[in-house]
Amino acid sequence: MESYHIRGGNKISGEYSVKGAKNAALPILAATILCGAECQLSNIPQITDVNSMKKILNELGCKTDTSEETVIVDSSELVADTISLKRMREMRSSVFLLGALLGRCGSAVISQPGGCNIGSRPIDLHLHALRMLGTEITEKDDVIICKASKLRGAVIEFSFPSVGATENAIMAAATAEGHTILKNCAMEPEICDLQNFLNSCGADIHGSGTKTIHINGNSALHGGNHRIIPDRIECGTYLVAAAATGGEIVVKNAESLHLKSILEKLIETGCTVGVKRDRIYLKACEKLTALDKLITGPYPEFPTDLQSPFLTMLTLAEGKSYVEETIFENRFAFANELKRMGADLLVEDNHAFVTGVKELQGCRVAATDLRGGASLAIAGLMAQGETFIEGIEHIERGYADFSQTLRSLGADIRKTND
Ligand code: EPZ
């Protein structure tokens, strides 16, 4: 079993270039099914979730060709509409294929994606939107069978601005007959990227990035070329690693507009932050200041995916911090491992109270989710002594070359095979 072996105490400093956004690449790869032609996608991150998505596309009959960070998908031949249980278990994002398959061939069969360590993650909002567009859905023994002889435009209001449900509705409505209006949508940048990709293939979608999205269905989409946006969460993770270890970093190829709430909070802890075109500069201060309030929320509020790295950073800040997680019900699960490293924090439901301590002690910990796992690596960098992190497959789902990037920034980290 592979693990990371970290010797703490080094500052994270230097230059690094942001990779393509995992949470844009996955829905856009799924959306290529709608085109029935060849699409070229660049700046695709080389992570295991992307590999899983490519395997699903191949099993559906699509041809994929990868060279470094460019993936060509030819979806002209589609031979199946079913996602296997194995693939669904590998990656929850396979639920994105519902909208794409329905929009392309009017049928899709998936198994209930199931929960993960950060929460139950139901898909009721996805299914409600697809039903509104004319999909018949039957659920039997965890298998979800979707049929739509004809998808028709509708007015759909989400009870919660779900990212995935918004994306699934966009993909199903893109080729539906007539006009669709989506209300109370998620506004994440990755949704704008999906809109831009689909419009490059002949779709007629407007409003992504706002609460209301308009879609005029077009049944004859064609192939397109698209460059995936930078990964704001990966970028934020490395900024936090530098801040948490007293380092100084320049991040290149970043889109600072996507990180507004994050940069504001880093400045609040006492870091010096500068932005110039696609570069973000951060210099940590001697001793970080605690945050009175860090509350996650739908974009443009503070992103839930950076709550764990910030919570970790705050364990050595001066003073008491309050962190509230409003998106996922179990995103503090990794905090128990932080406590084993000497962090002084109290978790009650979706609230965490952190009191800064003098130091953390390295020990053997286990990653159980993507962002919590990356945060444990940051804790290992911050700690005295050695930290061994098991379950690194969770981390490598969403961070390309994670240990190599940290090593290039000064970390004493090695991947070992226990
Ligand atoms: C996307 O997940 C991201 N994943 C998540 O990133 C991210 O944390 C999340 O959006 C929020 O920003 C991808 O894009 C692949 P949601 P998604 O639907 O779409 C509830 C990472 O670490 N909900 O916005 O699953 C849900 O349980 C991952 O990169 C329903 O109740 O998130 C959650 O509490 C983690 N019913 C909340 O809404 C539904 O049908 C937000 O979920 C759908 C969601």
Side-chain angles (χ1 to χ4, degrees):
M1 176 178 61
E2 291 190 316
S3 61
Y4 290 143
H5 174 198
I6 297 172
R7 285 194 182 84
N10 293 7
K11 293 179 188 300
I12 294 304
S13 292
E15 283 195 1
Y16 120 88
S17 210
V18 190
K19 313 277 192 324
K22 165 179 90 78
N23 291 348
L26 293 174
I28 288 172
L29 281 164
T32 58
I33 290 174
L34 289 164
C35 306
E38 187 173 283
C39 295
Q40 178 165 316
L41 304 173
S42 56
N43 204 32
I44 293 272
Q46 294 175 302
I47 53 178
T48 51
D49 266 9
V50 164
N51 296 339
S52 301
M53 182 60 85
K54 288 191 292 188
K55 284 180 200 153
I56 292 171
L57 292 174
N58 293 152
E59 287 169 8
L60 294 172
C62 302
K63 294 186 189 68
T64 59
D65 183 28
T66 302
S67 103
E68 295 187 343
E69 292 171 344
T70 296
V71 175
I72 294 173
V73 183
D74 180 350
S75 62
S76 40
E77 301 292 318
L78 210 59
V79 296
D81 66 0
T82 302
I83 314 297
S84 67
L85 179 62
K86 177 173 183 287
R87 296 290 176 225
M88 287 299 296
R89 288 283 174 265
E90 261 176 17
M91 184 182 62
R92 289 184 40 74
S93 311
S94 26
V95 69
F96 290 136
L97 286 144
L98 271 183
L101 281 168
L102 284 165
R104 169 71 185 273
C105 60
S107 65
V109 181
I110 69 167
S111 46
Q112 187 61 249
C116 57
N117 200 54
I118 61 174
S120 57
R121 302 186 76 179
I123 60 169
D124 55 312
L125 300 178
H126 297 243
L127 301 182
H128 169 70
L130 297 175
R131 282 194 178 95
M132 292 288 285
L133 290 165
T135 307
E136 276 171 47
I137 298 174
T138 48
E139 299 184 51
K140 189 166 176 298
D141 307 332
D142 264 358
V143 175
I144 300 171
I145 300 159
C146 303
K147 289 258 180 256
S149 49
K150 185 90 197 122
L151 289 170
R152 287 191 175 75
V155 178
I156 301 167
E157 179 146 12
F158 291 108
S159 57
F160 178 86
S162 154
V163 173
T166 302
E167 291 167 337
N168 249 332
I170 287 172
M171 287 189 261
T175 59
E177 187 178 84
H179 187 80
T180 295
I181 304 175
L182 304 178
K183 296 182 174 180
N184 194 31
C185 298
M187 301 192 280
E188 273 68 3
E190 292 77 25
I191 295 172
C192 300
D193 211 29
L194 174 63
Q195 170 182 294
N196 294 339
F197 164 68
L198 284 172
N199 285 348
S200 77
C201 301
D204 182 2
I205 306 167
H206 304 278
S208 289
T210 74
K211 283 234 164 274
T212 305
I213 298 175
H214 290 261
I215 302 156
N216 290 309
N218 168 8
S219 57
L221 298 186
H222 51 72
N225 290 354
H226 183 75
R227 181 176 175 79
I228 302 294
I229 57 171
D231 193 321
R232 60 194 169 99
I233 304 301
E234 183 203 60
C235 176
T237 304
Y238 290 113
L239 287 170
V240 169
T245 55
E248 183 172 3
I249 189 171
V250 174
V251 176
K252 299 185 290 184
N253 298 330
E255 178 43 82
S256 57
L257 292 176
H258 296 165
L259 288 114
K260 196 167 169 296
S261 62
I262 296 133
L263 300 182
E264 285 168 0
K265 284 297 175 186
L266 286 168
I267 291 166
E268 200 180 320
T269 63
C271 293
T272 302
V273 173
V275 171
K276 191 170 179 186
R277 290 193 300 280
D278 67 345
R279 290 174 178 233
I280 299 174
Y281 165 78
L282 177 139
K283 182 171 175 35
C285 55
E286 193 56 36
K287 184 81 175 164
L288 296 177
T289 304
L291 291 175
D292 292 341
K293 258 194 310 188
L294 180 69
I295 302 175
T296 65
Y299 191 88
E301 293 173 45
F302 188 89
T304 174
D305 293 346
L306 283 171
Q307 179 262 100
S308 314
F310 265 73
L311 182 72
T312 303
M313 175 179 75
L314 294 169
T315 60
L316 292 186
E318 190 70 47
K320 293 181 184 300
S321 300
Y322 170 72
V323 180
E324 186 175 324
E325 171 57 53
T326 68
I327 303 293
F328 289 108
E329 68 270 26
N330 194 28
R331 206 144 207 187
F332 288 126
F334 87 109
N336 290 327
E337 298 293 76
L338 283 184
K339 285 186 202 172
R340 294 182 53 237
M341 297 176 76
D344 179 354
L345 52 90
L346 171 66
V347 172
E348 279 174 0
D349 297 332
N350 67 330
H351 311 274
F353 304 88
V354 191
T355 304
V357 293
K358 199 166 166 317
E359 62 183 32
L360 297 178
Q361 290 305 327
C363 69
R364 186 173 286 277
V365 291
T368 53
D369 73 273
L370 166 58
R371 307 303 175 182
S375 304
L376 290 175
I378 293 174
L381 299 170
M382 296 161 67
Q384 303 300 313
E386 297 184 280
T387 299
F388 292 85
I389 303 178
E390 295 167 1
I392 65 171
E393 65 279 5
H394 291 285
I395 302 173
E396 298 189 345
R397 281 187 41 222
Y399 292 94
D401 305 326
F402 186 66
S403 55
Q404 299 91 317
T405 302
L406 285 173
R407 207 163 38 246
S408 73
L409 291 169
D412 181 347
I413 178 172
R414 282 181 306 110
K415 195 191 281 195
T416 58
N417 218 328
D418 292 350

